[in-house]
Amino acid sequence: MSNGYDMDTDTNRLRRYYEELRGTEHAKNTLIEDILQRLDTVTNLYEQEKLDHARESRFNRQVQLEQQSLNSELRKARAAVERDQFVLVLIDGDGMIFEEYLLIQGEAGGKEAADKLWNCVKDYVHQKLPDLPSDFRIVTRIYANLKGLGDVCSRSGILSSPSQLEDFARGFTGTKQLFDFIDVGSGKDRADDKISELFKLYLHNSHCRHILFGCSHDNGYARLLEDISDRPVIDSVTLLEGVPFERELAALKSKYETTRFNGLFRTSKVNMYPQYSQGLAPPTSQSQSSSYQSPYQNLTQRSSTSATLNPAANTWANAAIAAPPTHMASPPPTPKPQSSSARIHGIQRNRFGERVDPIMKYDKEEVNRVRKIKMCNVHFLRGDCPYGDECTHTHFYKPNKNEIQTLKFVARGTPCRFGTACDDEKCIYGHNCPVAKPGAKECIFGDNCRFDKDMHGVDSKVVKTTKV
């Protein structure tokens, strides 16, 4: 144009301006998109955080509820343990025998013994466990062969009749709800086995805070006590002493705490021959070790078959027995038994080392007739009856050879206390149930049989004969 206006230049300028504006708009849009994208990311993170926070809140709440529940259960468990705490008194009554002044009172003595034992235990536990609740219980279990122990106490002069011991046990059991004097019957280690299992059952029981274990007379319990190594468990057991601890138990006194309840249990073994402690010498045969021992004589030392009760021991039985009649100082001589009755033929054993009793023929009517004569088995078959003329069975009858054989069969009906392990060549008692069939562990008498299970079904084939 003539006026100097250049349209092309102006258009280019506008175009450049437009391009600048379009670039700016694009940058703005990009910025906005970037901001929006970042906002989306932040929003997602926020929502995730909200979910995590809600989940953690729920978890924390759940944990709190579970903790409250566990604390509640723990309080209940502690309350249950504290509510039922008790002390167990476990006694082998075959050797831990109550004092004579208690036994002779029968049922009344049993009640007094239970009361005294309860007071002694309560006083001891208060000193030993001062943190124990005042309402703790005392559980007492005494296991013994009442018939055998009653016979021993009667024959030693402690009791006038074996039934007095049954009356004593009845009074003891009836006095306290948790006190039991339990008759295990005759049989090898019946009391030991029950006591050992009960001891192991309660040793780690949280309710049982302490065990008073009365077993000082029997080395057999040393195995049970030696196996315990945990110090807190050892501290929860106290050994109760009656007669002095046997050698193996005495060795454990440094490991276990011991105590004694004075005036409650005998401190000396039962004297089977009280008359000899008055100045008479007990009858002897070949040696002291071969002298007669009753099936229950050695109840206070079952772990050693060679141990015998000391006839001259200072016992409650001796103190209670009045001075013997003057004729006891020099009793009239009893006739000597036939020498053939004491012959020793050795001990027959089977392949298991079990003693085998020779088979004996007998006549039932003759057996009944000989029984009625009431001959002393020990006098006529062993020649060493410890009772002499004080024996309740006759020593003055003169049996013939057939009657001696029948008497041997009669004596065989009484189980030997050592069972098939007996090594006394002169033993007159039975070592195998006479009516049990070979290999059978029961006989026609079932649980009422006087012979132990291991004396049934003994292999009768003899493989060797030994002499001791």
Side-chain angles (χ1 to χ4, degrees):
M1 290 188 172
S2 58
N3 58 1
Y5 176 74
D6 188 351
M7 183 175 291
D8 292 334
T9 301
D10 189 45
T11 300
N12 291 334
R13 182 177 62 81
L14 290 174
R15 188 177 298 279
R16 286 195 303 274
Y17 183 64
Y18 168 74
E19 291 295 335
E20 290 177 1
L21 288 177
R22 192 175 67 172
T24 302
E25 189 68 21
H26 177 73
K28 181 188 72 172
N29 291 336
T30 301
L31 176 62
I32 292 173
E33 290 177 358
D34 186 50
I35 291 173
L36 291 175
Q37 186 176 5
R38 293 190 178 188
L39 179 61
D40 290 339
T41 301
V42 172
T43 301
N44 290 335
L45 292 174
Y46 172 72
E47 292 298 330
Q48 186 63 44
E49 287 294 327
K50 284 176 61 179
L51 292 175
D52 293 344
H53 178 73
R55 184 168 54 252
E56 290 179 1
S57 296
R58 288 194 301 271
F59 176 77
N60 291 337
R61 178 59 180 167
Q62 184 178 356
V63 169
Q64 290 176 351
L65 292 175
E66 290 179 356
Q67 185 176 6
Q68 292 175 358
S69 177
L70 290 174
N71 289 336
S72 177
E73 292 180 7
L74 181 60
R75 285 192 298 270
K76 291 179 181 179
R78 286 177 176 174
V81 171
E82 293 175 358
R83 182 176 60 248
D84 296 325
Q85 293 185 63
F86 65 90
V87 171
L88 177 64
V89 183
L90 201 53
I91 295 174
D92 187 336
D94 285 336
M96 288 283 291
I97 304 174
F98 285 94
E99 291 281 21
E100 179 183 355
Y101 77 94
L102 295 169
L103 296 178
I104 61 177
Q105 298 180 58
E107 187 168 344
K111 293 179 179 179
E112 182 178 351
D115 289 333
K116 286 182 175 292
L117 180 60
W118 191 87
N119 289 326
C120 288
V121 172
K122 195 172 184 67
D123 292 342
Y124 176 80
V125 170
H126 277 319
Q127 296 179 2
K128 177 72 176 177
L129 304 171
D131 61 325
L132 196 64
S134 59
D135 60 345
F136 75 92
R137 298 182 179 185
I138 300 175
V139 179
T140 299
R141 297 287 183 270
I142 302 178
Y143 293 91
N145 174 7
L146 286 182
K147 183 180 183 305
L149 185 58
D151 288 342
V152 168
C153 292
S154 176
R155 293 170 59 184
S156 65
I158 296 176
L159 300 177
S160 59
S161 169
S163 62
Q164 283 184 285
L165 186 64
E166 296 180 3
D167 296 337
F168 176 89
R170 188 183 309 111
F172 183 92
T173 301
T175 301
K176 304 289 184 183
Q177 291 182 345
L178 297 178
F179 276 38
D180 292 308
F181 200 123
I182 302 167
D183 180 17
V184 298
S186 61
K188 183 180 179 182
D189 296 336
R190 286 192 177 180
D192 304 50
D193 293 341
K194 287 182 177 293
I195 290 172
S196 297
E197 289 303 314
L198 203 62
F199 179 85
K200 290 184 284 187
L201 177 65
Y202 284 105
L203 186 61
H204 300 283
N205 189 306
S206 59
H207 296 275
C208 183
R209 291 293 303 275
H210 203 75
I211 297 178
L212 282 158
F213 196 18
C215 61
S216 62
H217 63 287
D218 194 340
N219 274 325
Y221 292 110
R223 308 289 88 72
L224 179 67
L225 296 168
E226 287 172 347
D227 292 340
I228 305 174
S229 58
D230 190 2
R231 188 71 246 178
V233 177
I234 293 175
D235 292 339
S236 69
V237 177
T238 295
L239 302 183
L240 184 59
E241 184 175 13
V243 298
F245 285 105
E246 289 296 328
R247 180 175 55 83
E248 294 182 44
L249 289 171
L252 297 174
K253 291 174 68 175
S254 59
K255 182 177 179 180
Y256 290 89
E257 184 170 337
T258 64
T259 189
R260 179 193 294 275
F261 295 155
N262 294 324
L264 191 57
F265 296 101
R266 292 179 61 91
T267 57
S268 60
K269 299 175 182 178
V270 174
N271 183 359
M272 287 292 294
Y273 313 119
Q275 65 268 37
Y276 301 128
S277 65
Q278 303 291 343
L280 292 175
T284 58
S285 55
Q286 295 178 351
S287 66
Q288 182 179 1
S289 62
S290 64
S291 63
Y292 166 70
Q293 293 180 340
S294 74
Y296 300 104
Q297 174 181 344
N298 202 17
L299 283 168
T300 56
Q301 196 171 359
R302 289 180 302 248
S303 59
S304 175
T305 59
S306 64
T308 57
L309 298 174
N310 182 5
N314 183 19
T315 66
W316 281 96
N318 299 335
I321 297 174
T326 55
H327 75 274
M328 287 187 65
S330 56
T334 60
K336 293 183 178 180
Q338 300 177 15
S339 59
S340 61
S341 64
R343 284 202 302 256
I344 298 175
H345 302 284
I347 300 173
Q348 296 180 340
R349 297 194 180 276
N350 59 24
R351 60 195 177 101
F352 302 108
E354 299 169 318
R355 182 164 181 162
V356 178
D357 290 334
I359 297 176
M360 298 181 65
K361 296 181 179 180
Y362 68 96
D363 180 85
K364 186 175 181 180
E365 292 184 359
E366 182 67 8
V367 169
N368 292 333
R369 186 186 70 82
V370 169
R371 278 177 175 160
K372 292 178 180 179
I373 300 175
K374 292 189 178 295
M375 287 185 283
C376 174
N377 298 343
V378 181
H379 174 71
F380 288 105
L381 301 182
R382 290 186 58 111
D384 55 6
C385 176
Y387 297 104
D389 291 292
E390 301 299 318
C391 183
T392 58
H393 288 64
T394 183
H395 289 192
F396 296 92
Y397 186 80
K398 294 183 179 180
N400 57 38
K401 290 184 177 180
N402 290 334
E403 288 174 327
I404 287 292
Q405 285 300 113
T406 303
L407 189 63
K408 289 181 180 180
F409 179 82
V410 172
R412 188 81 66 79
T414 299
C416 173
R417 68 189 178 95
F418 296 117
T420 57
C422 177
D423 58 2
D424 181 2
E425 289 180 315
K426 293 179 64 179
C427 182
I428 62 176
Y429 299 111
H431 308 91
N432 317 139
C433 175
V435 298
K437 297 180 180 179
K441 290 303 179 182
E442 288 189 356
C443 64
I444 58 175
F445 299 108
D447 293 337
N448 294 323
C449 184
R450 301 171 65 189
F451 288 80
D452 288 347
K453 295 289 186 183
D454 56 1
M455 299 168 77
H456 286 72
V458 176
D459 183 3
S460 60
K461 184 177 181 181
V462 177
V463 299
K464 64 179 178 180
T465 301
T466 59
K467 289 187 178 182
V468 180

